[in-house]
């Protein structure tokens, strides 16, 4: 499976003739391609070319006297096989912003409905235009409201668009890559990935500074550290399937069985000190109301069990003495 988009940097000398012979000729021979000038002005101090493949793939190459940068969702020409890979954040201007502008234009030409969501487009560009995952990730946003089964596409995407507009993460690659680049749509896994964005929003709205993917001594990574006033709190996120989508048969059993996979694994080995957020946004009104009426334990303390309805409300109940504050807008039962 291909990974999210990253640059390849070649520290060899490149000329227009070599670009034509080593890159364009290889692409044309293998999959069919055209080579042209980029859509936008090439980065200052660099020459640049754009490659459009017959199968719909696209690639960019920019070079100066010292090195060349390749970015694309197509096969990598042999001349670049031994090069190192870098994210957008790891490649300085003028290369990164130029490539981003080119690729965003490509994305919006292929999926014009995404133009209404510029922050989603930019943040998730490495997966929305990836080689293997571009179709499944677009389907997830367009047809599944970014994991909110009981919300409209506009409501679901606006929820994350407004959050990403606050520039909540120092490096988008770690979080964007969680959505994955698989050719087959995995709605359960992708919805669970977006639950981490939902919890990140709740933590930031509550006044925390957050850091994703915290390595701990057990060899695992905890989803977030939430920092406030010199205190850091560890937070893990899980998302149960709706009872109607699994054999659990009840809302309480659904969340307990899902949490068990966490408590019998990384949380058990960590030995405490982690607040578990259980995202029940897939539950319909009846399932959620029954859960609220019972407020069952989930097999881990402390825990926050919650459901988000974009454009409407966020409701939660807590188990144990949860050290993590919730935003004032959350209705805590």
């Amino acid at each position: 499976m291909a990974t999210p988009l990253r640059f390849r940097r070649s520290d060899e000398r490149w000329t227009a003739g070599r670009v034509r012979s080593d890159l364009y000729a290889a692409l044309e021979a293998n999959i069919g391609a055209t080579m042209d000038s980029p859509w936008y002005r090439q980065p200052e101090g660099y020459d640049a070319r754009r490659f459009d493949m017959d199968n719909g793939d696209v690639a960019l190459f920019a070079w100066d006297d010292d090195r060349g940068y390749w970015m694309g969702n197509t096969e990598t020409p042999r001349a670049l096989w031994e090069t190192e890979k870098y994210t957008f954040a790891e490649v300085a201007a003028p290369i990164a912003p130029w490539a981003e502008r080119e690729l965003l234009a490509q994305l919006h030409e292929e999926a014009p409905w995404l133009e209404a969501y510029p922050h989603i487009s930019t943040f998730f560009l490495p997966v929305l235009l990836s080689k293997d995952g571009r179709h499944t990730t677009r389907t997830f946003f367009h047809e599944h409201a970014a994991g909110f089964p009981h919300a409209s596409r506009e409501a679901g995407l606006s929820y994350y668009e407004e959050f990403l507009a606050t520039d909540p993460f120092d490096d988008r690659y770690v979080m964007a890559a969680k959505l994955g680049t698989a050719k087959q749509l995995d709605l359960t896994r992708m919805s669970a990935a977006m639950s981490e964005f939902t919890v990140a929003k709740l933590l930031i709205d509550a006044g925390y500074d957050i850091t994703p993917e915290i390595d701990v001594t057990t060899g695992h990574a905890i989803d977030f550290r939430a920092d406030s006033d010199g205190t850091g709190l560890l937070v893990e996120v899980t998302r149960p399937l709706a009872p109607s989508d699994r054999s659990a048969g009840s809302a309480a059993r659904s969340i307990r069985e899902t949490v068990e996979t966490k408590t019998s694994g990384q949380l058990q080995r960590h030995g405490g000190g982690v607040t578990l957020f259980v995202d029940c946004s897939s539950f319909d009104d009846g399932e959620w109301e029954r859960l609220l009426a019972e407020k069952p334990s989930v097999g881990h303390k402390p825990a926050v069990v919650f459901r988000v309805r974009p454009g409407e409300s966020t409701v939660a109940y807590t188990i144990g003495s949860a050290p993590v504050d919730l935003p004032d807008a959350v209705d805590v039962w």
Side-chain angles (χ1 to χ4, degrees), residues 215-244:
D215 292 327
V216 293
T217 56
T218 59
H220 294 86
I222 301 298
D223 290 330
F224 297 107
R225 186 182 68 240
D227 294 293
S228 179
D229 299 326
T231 300
L233 304 169
L234 295 179
V235 172
E236 184 71 11
V237 183
T238 192
R239 178 165 178 154
L241 286 172
S244 57

Side-chain angles (χ1 to χ4, degrees), residues 220-268:
H220 294 86
I222 301 298
D223 290 330
F224 297 107
R225 186 182 68 240
D227 294 293
S228 179
D229 299 326
T231 300
L233 304 169
L234 295 179
V235 172
E236 184 71 11
V237 183
T238 192
R239 178 165 178 154
L241 286 172
S244 57
D245 293 332
R246 59 184 297 157
S247 59
S250 74
R253 285 187 60 190
S254 180
I255 62 174
R256 287 183 185 130
E257 290 178 4
T258 300
V259 169
E260 185 179 4
T261 64
K262 293 280 187 180
T263 56
S264 62
Q266 65 193 94
L267 294 185
Q268 182 184 60

